Amino acid sequence: AKVSVDTYGGEKALYTPELGTVVYNVDVPSDGLYMIEMDYYPIVGKASNIERAFRIDGKIPFKESRYLSMTKIWKDDLSDIGESDTAFEQDPLGNDVRPMAVEAPDWATYEFKDATGYYNEPFQYYLTAGTHTLELEATREPVAIGSITLKPYDAPKSYEEVSAEYASKGYKAVSSDATVKIQAETPVRTSTQTVYPTYDRSSAISEPQDASKIRLNTIGKTTTWQSVGDWVEYTLTVDETGLYYIVPRFQQSEQPDMFVSRKLYINGELPFAEAGNLEFNYDDEFQVKPLNDGETEFQFYFEAGKEYTLRFEVVLGNMATLISRIEASLVNLNQIYLKIKQITGATPDQYRDYNFIELIPDELNMLIMESKNLYEFSAELEAITGERGSNCATLNEIARIADRMGRDEDE
């Protein structure tokens, strides 16, 4: 396939195949940092995300720009529900059948950002005034490009600032009966076919529920909704204008002694900075708590009669920087391990003195340094989570072994 101009979703766009490079010339008005947004239209094809490598003036500005990942759009095919008394098709025994996910391409906006989730904010690129070239090299999946926009990054306001604006405008909490319930197992769209409805029988109040038949009543159970960047969307309309709490009923039993995080977009916008780091604490049982960041429970303003789209996206949240540093430390330890293995071979001789202190003194010193780092990471993790759990214990044990190996060559 070749690059071509065609109409997608009612708009003209540049079709780019899954291999090749497109180059744009851009005139930058002044020196400064710019974030980059791209309006794109996913092309129906494979199940993979769309991936591109980005260059400015022929060079990768930093390593994370080698891997830009744009999600596709999927929805559940519910066309064959028939006479089912639930939201899903049923088999001859009356059990809910998981629907097939189908691609539902639509226009979307992608901010150039870290695909690993280690950096919460979009990338910012320093450009000097004048003409520059922007290159997008295709590495996976075709995509139609509508526009590319360079603009200064406008950091979202804090919840404190937004809450003060609510008060200044006279916004009040809605009445207690102004409640809207959304069944989470029926999102209007998702970012991947691997996020799908699941069933839960551990709680009698999960809806819908049946004593003998399978009812799909949850989403994201076990490991189906945990990859950074994966999202689900819901739509809602309220009958009363005012401030609402968003109160999910959830079970987070996958990460003991830790929280997991989600980012909330409302109509494509982050309502305030803290909405990018929502926390869901560990518990074997279902929990019912307003959206929060571990400290503050948030209120959100909705107008009656207006349709809103809520998107919940997997992020690393307040763990992002720490996880990145832990991974970097483990990479260093793995490099030291490979260096040792070059000397000892796959099966070390326990009766031989390999004289590591003479052969790899720098690596032994690095073991001690990484041991100190891991102890610090463990303390930071304890401060974030509020307890010394199994993950802290694992970091401390690796740190202890690394320190012992670095100080005693016989180890």
Side-chain angles (χ1 to χ4, degrees):
K2 296 182 179 180
V3 172
S4 61
V5 176
D6 209 334
T7 300
Y8 299 89
E11 298 182 25
K12 281 192 174 182
L14 181 70
Y15 171 85
T16 62
E18 60 183 346
L19 293 175
T21 301
V22 292
V23 182
Y24 295 90
N25 290 323
V26 59
D27 291 323
V28 177
S30 59
D31 297 357
L33 291 170
Y34 294 85
M35 64 172 288
I36 301 178
E37 289 183 343
M38 185 172 81
D39 290 336
Y40 73 98
Y41 191 92
I43 306 300
V44 175
K46 303 173 186 175
S48 307
N49 283 350
I50 302 155
E51 296 176 6
R52 295 294 184 270
F54 177 62
R55 295 180 176 85
I56 297 176
D57 297 331
K59 298 180 180 179
I60 299 284
F62 41 81
K63 67 178 183 179
E64 290 83 0
S65 288
R66 291 184 182 276
Y67 181 59
L68 303 180
S69 179
M70 291 160 270
T71 60
K72 293 188 173 182
I73 301 172
W74 298 77
K75 67 178 182 179
D76 292 334
D77 183 0
L78 303 175
S79 59
D80 295 326
I81 293 179
E83 307 244 337
S84 171
D85 58 355
T86 69
F88 304 99
E89 183 183 359
Q90 294 179 344
D91 65 17
L93 299 178
N95 299 304
D96 284 354
V97 177
R98 194 179 90 197
M100 179 181 294
V102 295
E103 287 192 59
D106 197 0
W107 282 102
T109 300
Y110 170 73
E111 295 179 344
F112 287 24
K113 60 183 180 180
D114 181 29
T116 65
Y118 291 152
Y119 304 98
N120 292 324
E121 297 180 344
F123 293 147
Q124 296 184 66
Y125 300 91
Y126 182 79
L127 295 170
T128 57
T131 301
H132 296 272
T133 61
L134 308 182
E135 299 180 24
L136 286 169
E137 179 188 355
T139 54
R140 180 176 292 177
E141 289 293 274
V143 69
I145 301 173
S147 65
I148 297 176
T149 303
L150 283 69
K151 63 181 184 181
Y153 173 58
D154 186 14
K157 297 178 181 179
S158 68
Y159 180 67
E160 183 179 5
E161 292 173 307
V162 171
S163 185
E165 290 181 3
Y166 290 164
S168 67
K169 294 177 180 179
Y171 295 166
K172 304 291 184 182
V174 296
S175 57
S176 59
D177 58 349
T179 301
V180 178
K181 178 182 284 190
I182 301 173
Q183 296 296 343
E185 67 272 12
T186 55
V188 294
R189 306 194 305 179
T190 65
S191 61
T192 171
Q193 62 181 339
T194 61
V195 179
Y196 50 76
T198 52
Y199 70 91
D200 172 74
R201 285 179 171 169
S202 66
S203 172
I205 62 174
S206 293
E207 299 177 357
Q209 191 67 252
D210 191 285
S212 59
K213 297 179 175 64
I214 292 176
R215 292 290 177 258
L216 298 176
N217 52 17
T218 55
I219 194 167
K221 192 174 182 180
T222 63
T223 59
T224 63
W225 186 30
Q226 67 172 8
S227 298
V228 168
D230 283 354
W231 52 261
V232 296
E233 279 187 352
Y234 303 93
T235 58
L236 68 85
T237 303
V238 300
D239 294 327
E240 183 180 334
T241 296
L243 299 176
Y244 289 77
Y245 288 104
I246 298 177
V247 188
R249 178 174 178 268
F250 68 95
Q251 183 185 49
Q252 198 285 94
S253 56
E254 294 299 311
Q255 297 293 334
D257 312 315
M258 293 181 64
F259 58 82
V260 299
S261 298
R262 296 293 183 267
K263 176 184 288 189
L264 171 65
Y265 294 95
I266 299 179
N267 289 347
E269 301 289 338
L270 197 66
F272 42 81
E274 291 86 347
N277 300 296
L278 303 175
E279 296 184 4
F280 297 81
N281 290 321
Y282 173 81
D283 199 307
D284 283 333
E285 303 297 329
F286 274 89
Q287 304 174 62
V288 180
K289 294 181 179 179
L291 294 181
N292 66 88
D293 63 350
E295 296 180 356
T296 304
E297 295 180 348
F298 303 124
Q299 288 182 303
F300 302 85
Y301 177 74
F302 294 102
E303 294 180 9
K306 181 179 178 180
E307 183 175 82
Y308 291 88
T309 299
L310 309 184
R311 174 182 289 193
F312 292 91
E313 179 182 319
V314 178
V315 293
L316 298 178
N318 292 321
M319 291 284 190
T321 301
L322 179 59
I323 292 174
S324 175
R325 291 161 61 204
I326 291 173
E327 181 173 284
S329 181
L330 295 178
V331 167
N332 289 337
L333 289 175
N334 188 58
Q335 291 175 342
I336 297 170
Y337 164 74
L338 293 176
K339 191 73 173 181
I340 293 173
K341 196 172 180 180
Q342 289 176 358
I343 299 171
T344 65
T347 53
D349 184 351
Q350 61 178 323
Y351 300 108
R352 177 181 171 183
D353 182 358
Y354 288 98
N355 197 24
F356 291 133
I357 195 67
E358 295 292 335
L359 296 176
I360 51 171
D362 292 341
E363 282 74 9
L364 294 185
N365 288 330
M366 189 178 292
L367 280 170
I368 296 174
M369 181 183 70
E370 293 301 344
S371 171
K372 293 178 180 178
N373 289 337
L374 290 171
Y375 278 126
E376 290 178 3
F377 299 155
S378 176
E380 289 182 38
L381 180 59
E382 182 180 352
I384 292 173
T385 61
E387 56 185 294
R388 182 178 295 180
S390 59
N391 293 291
C392 291
T394 300
L395 290 173
N396 287 335
E397 179 62 12
I398 297 173
R400 184 190 67 80
I401 294 172
D403 181 75
R404 189 173 177 183
M405 291 177 65
R407 296 182 186 280
D408 186 351
E409 62 172 294
D410 293 332
E411 295 293 327

